[in-house]
Amino acid sequence: MAKVLAVNAGSSSLKFQLFDMPQEDVICSGVVEKIGLDEGIFTIKYGDQKKVLNTEIKDHQVAVDLLLEALVNEGIVDSLEDIDAIGHRMVHGGEAYSESVVVSEEVVETVSQFNELAPLHNPANLIGLRAFQKALPNVQHVFVFDTAFHQSMKEENYLYPLPYEYYTDYKVRKYGFHGTSHQYVSQEAIKMLGNPDHSKVIVCHLGNGASISAVKDGKCMDTSMGFTPLAGIMMGTRSGEVDPSIMPYLMKKLDCSADEVLDIYNKKSGMLGVSGISSDARDIEEAYNQGNERAILTSKMYARSISKYISQYYGELGGCDAIAFTAGLGENSAYLRKMIIDDIKEAFDIVLDDTLNETRQSGNRVISKDNSHIKIMIIPTNEEVMIARDTVRLLNL
Ligand code: ADP
């Protein structure tokens, strides 16, 4: 038995889950929000308890100390020595890591080289590591990368048709993101297929950020996000793919810089930009049900951007055994799942079970009928458990 803390440190937040492994029981979970702002919020849940503390949380060190103090004071652990290891979400592992890794100073140095590829995430993830190392100097750490699962893509899928030197000199290529989720969900889908020797799975991770991946025999073959998480399908506020020439055209029209247009692509586009209503699928659904034309258009565009990828990946994989929906919208939005499947059901002989699709339920489930050529699944993602599993495996706990 080992107690493993899974940590996801962002620039102003720190999410955590403490697991009893290998049973994968969640002992406690929570989040520290608004780190560095006047009013921080620390929330911790354990058993049937939930505690919320509003206080200034100056930096990540204060956040970590607050969390560790709460673990002892609330009697969640007898002492901090009960924590056997910590697994950290690390967004970018570049081409150096196709697997999770035990943290050493050399690893930290290598990962730091990718800071410019993920400036919003990697430095924050590293600050989280340092804060835990200071508070618990004897505990071992593991990095679990968002990019690692996608490292099995072949050159023809990860290279852009740009001068080759930009790849060799500047690391410009497709990396893909949400890898931990794609790996977890595809593994669960393969289990649900009965663990066949060969499998072809398409994972649709549809949250605020969203990406699709094609997984053959458990390995990522292709994915929709690219050099950055802006690429691929339409998202809550991100455009996904647009013609690159729109950038200089808008710079002239709006008299603004490339960074400002990029900001529009990242924060004011996608569902929010097209609908003019919200980036949240629940608001779009409400407006859709009221017959709002822009919400109807947004829904159609969103579904189409996903069904196009599914069609492409069906071709790349040479067929498909299962399409698995996951993350906030993938797990919860029945009407968008239906619109996506409606787009492709004729081509791929898919028969969705409308009742199962609309039934609210927890856990992994199949929502297609038995005569469907492809099984349609809902698989709630669990990146934290993947982090805990890899930590246990790499440290032989
Ligand atoms: P992220 O981790 O990328 O922030 P999540 O996976 O939490 O995103 O997904 C958030 C999105 O999921 C929300 O913006 C919303 O669009 C969608 N979502 C969450 N719950 C529901 C629901 N009940 N119905 C439809 N969409 C939902």
Side-chain angles (χ1 to χ4, degrees):
M1 281 239 301
K3 285 190 173 42
V4 174
L5 191 62
V7 172
N8 178 0
S11 55
S12 67
S13 71
L14 190 145
K15 294 187 196 133
F16 59 89
Q17 272 192 31
L18 182 63
F19 288 92
D20 239 337
M21 298 297 282
Q23 307 88 308
E24 303 185 349
D25 290 337
V26 178
I27 304 169
C28 74
S29 65
V31 59
V32 189
E33 294 164 278
K34 302 196 175 177
I35 299 171
L37 302 178
D38 287 349
E39 176 90 331
I41 313 165
F42 170 57
T43 311
I44 186 163
K45 291 185 207 163
Y46 57 99
D48 52 10
Q49 304 261 354
K50 177 178 171 182
K51 302 241 155 120
V52 181
L53 176 69
N54 293 297
T55 177
E56 190 190 340
I57 301 165
K58 179 165 73 70
D59 55 29
H60 285 73
Q61 193 67 55
V62 175
V64 168
D65 292 341
L66 207 61
L67 160 62
L68 296 177
E69 235 173 73
L71 291 181
V72 177
N73 290 347
E74 302 295 332
I76 297 167
V77 295
D78 292 333
S79 89
L80 292 180
E81 273 150 37
D82 286 1
I83 299 172
D84 295 287
I86 302 180
H88 298 258
R89 177 201 186 192
M90 181 60 59
V91 166
H92 221 301
E95 291 190 321
Y97 300 104
S98 54
E99 254 270 33
S100 303
V101 66
V102 177
V103 177
S104 64
E105 277 313 301
E106 198 186 328
V107 168
V108 172
E109 205 172 294
T110 307
V111 168
S112 305
Q113 291 167 19
F114 308 128
N115 283 358
E116 64 176 351
L117 295 178
L120 298 179
H121 292 100
N122 266 31
N125 300 153
L126 287 169
I127 289 171
L129 169 78
R130 291 305 192 203
F132 277 103
Q133 281 179 324
K134 204 161 165 201
L136 300 172
N138 298 321
V139 166
Q140 279 198 292
H141 301 262
V142 165
F143 283 159
V144 178
F145 301 95
D146 275 30
T147 50
F149 182 58
H150 303 304
Q151 280 294 305
S152 49
M153 283 186 293
K154 295 211 171 117
E155 260 182 336
E156 59 268 31
N157 278 342
Y158 72 68
L159 281 182
Y160 291 111
L162 294 169
Y164 193 79
E165 312 78 81
Y166 299 158
Y167 165 55
T168 48
D169 294 352
Y170 305 127
K171 307 187 184 99
V172 174
R173 54 158 286 178
K174 180 193 274 196
Y175 291 99
F177 299 88
H178 295 139
T180 312
S181 175
H182 285 289
Q183 186 171 19
Y184 173 81
V185 172
S186 56
Q187 280 177 3
E188 292 294 305
I190 292 167
K191 275 190 223 161
M192 287 166 74
L193 288 169
N195 287 317
D197 289 341
H198 296 287
S199 57
K200 296 162 183 173
V201 174
I202 296 174
V203 178
C204 303
H205 176 111
L206 310 179
N208 249 328
S211 61
I212 318 282
S213 66
V215 182
K216 193 167 193 172
D217 300 338
K219 290 207 162 63
C220 176
M221 190 179 181
D222 206 348
T223 193
S224 61
M225 280 183 170
F227 179 64
T228 72
L230 177 59
I233 62 168
M234 174 174 166
M235 308 179 211
T237 62
R238 286 177 228 158
S239 60
E241 263 140 25
V242 292
D243 182 337
S245 307
I246 296 172
M247 161 82 82
Y249 182 77
L250 281 182
M251 284 166 68
K252 276 190 213 119
K253 287 281 173 199
L254 303 175
D255 188 24
C256 67
S257 67
D259 279 345
E260 283 168 306
V261 178
L262 210 51
D263 208 54
I264 296 170
Y265 286 180
N266 268 307
K267 298 186 185 149
K268 296 182 183 154
S269 302
M271 287 189 161
L272 173 67
V274 177
S275 70
I277 298 168
S278 167
S279 64
D280 195 298
R282 285 162 287 202
D283 301 330
I284 305 294
E285 182 171 2
E286 204 184 315
Y288 176 95
N289 287 334
Q290 290 162 356
N292 181 297
E293 280 179 19
R294 292 264 291 279
I296 295 169
L297 173 66
T298 303
S299 307
K300 284 184 183 164
M301 284 174 65
Y302 188 78
R304 182 59 48 84
S305 80
I306 293 160
S307 62
K308 273 185 194 165
Y309 267 98
I310 295 176
S311 307
Q312 179 190 329
Y313 288 167
Y314 186 98
E316 272 186 57
L317 288 165
C320 177
D321 303 309
I323 297 172
F325 287 98
T326 194
L329 199 153
E331 290 166 32
N332 293 298
S333 183
Y335 93 106
L336 281 173
R337 281 194 302 260
K338 183 167 170 50
M339 282 180 93
I340 294 164
I341 298 301
D342 274 350
D343 255 2
I344 50 173
K345 66 179 182 193
E346 238 177 88
F348 302 130
D349 216 358
I350 301 173
V351 190
L352 191 69
D353 184 320
D354 288 330
T355 311
L356 291 179
N357 182 42
E358 276 155 34
T359 307
R360 289 209 159 267
Q361 212 183 309
S362 59
N364 297 352
R365 55 209 188 270
V366 173
I367 56 166
S368 51
K369 292 200 168 159
D370 289 346
N371 61 340
S372 182
H373 174 60
I374 302 175
K375 278 197 162 55
I376 309 299
M377 300 171 173
I378 297 176
I379 300 180
T381 193
N382 195 339
E383 288 152 294
E384 294 76 16
V385 91
M386 281 301 286
I387 294 175
R389 281 180 195 171
D390 274 7
T391 304
V392 167
R393 185 172 54 82
L394 289 176
L395 296 173
N396 295 314
L397 294 173

